[in-house]
Amino acid sequence: NSGTYRNAPSTSVAVKFHLSTAVGNIVTGLGPGWVRIGATEYRDNVVLTPETVVPGFAASGFDALDENQFAALLAHKPEVVLLGTGASIRFPHPGLTRALTDANVGLEVMDTRAACRTYNILAAEGRSVVAALLIK
């Protein structure tokens, strides 16, 4: 090879970029003991949907979660529930989430930071998502 390179035929490809932004509530910050949704900081565990923020979820923490708290999430008509369990992943007993299973609602369990990121992505896609976030 003499060091000459043949260029591939020039083709023009149009690429369109669209700014995708969530409509409604998005998580804009998170730290030890707090979460910021839009411009408002919350220091309580919350249930978050694109339309609502409900403080007071699992007020007594992960170990006190019960069936009624998961069943109440169905009022938001989610296709998926994200359970953020704090700084580390903790899985609730399957019996606690039975109402979600019976209603064919997906449940994803992850640490709260990951749940916030995932919520923002799904909300931006227009999905019917509920995030139950344990902050403390």
Side-chain angles (χ1 to χ4, degrees):
N1 193 333
S2 64
T4 11
Y5 295 95
R6 236 168 88 143
N7 291 332
S10 176
T11 58
S12 176
V13 177
V15 178
K16 291 184 179 181
F17 291 95
H18 298 280
L19 178 61
S20 176
T21 57
V23 175
N25 295 317
I26 60 166
V27 178
T28 56
L30 178 69
W34 61 273
V35 63
R36 187 179 321 109
I37 300 165
T40 305
E41 231 174 70
Y42 294 87
R43 297 195 176 272
D44 293 322
N45 300 334
V46 298
V47 171
L48 173 62
T49 76
E51 298 82 27
T52 61
V53 180
V54 182
F57 175 75
S60 298
F62 180 87
D63 291 328
L65 283 171
D66 65 39
E67 300 91 354
N68 295 328
Q69 291 164 326
F70 287 101
L73 298 175
L74 292 172
H76 300 285
K77 302 192 183 324
E79 60 184 88
V80 65
V81 170
L82 307 174
L83 177 61
T85 58
S88 61
I89 299 173
R90 298 175 70 188
F91 291 91
H93 187 279
L96 298 179
T97 62
R98 182 71 175 193
L100 298 177
T101 304
D102 289 349
N104 292 318
V105 172
L107 173 67
E108 296 292 333
V109 180
M110 54 194 76
D111 66 69
T112 297
R113 185 170 300 281
C116 289
R117 285 192 309 268
T118 304
Y119 167 84
N120 282 350
I121 291 167
L122 295 178
E125 292 176 352
R127 303 276 300 274
S128 180
V129 59
V130 169
L133 304 174
L134 299 176
I135 307 303
K136 53 182 189 164

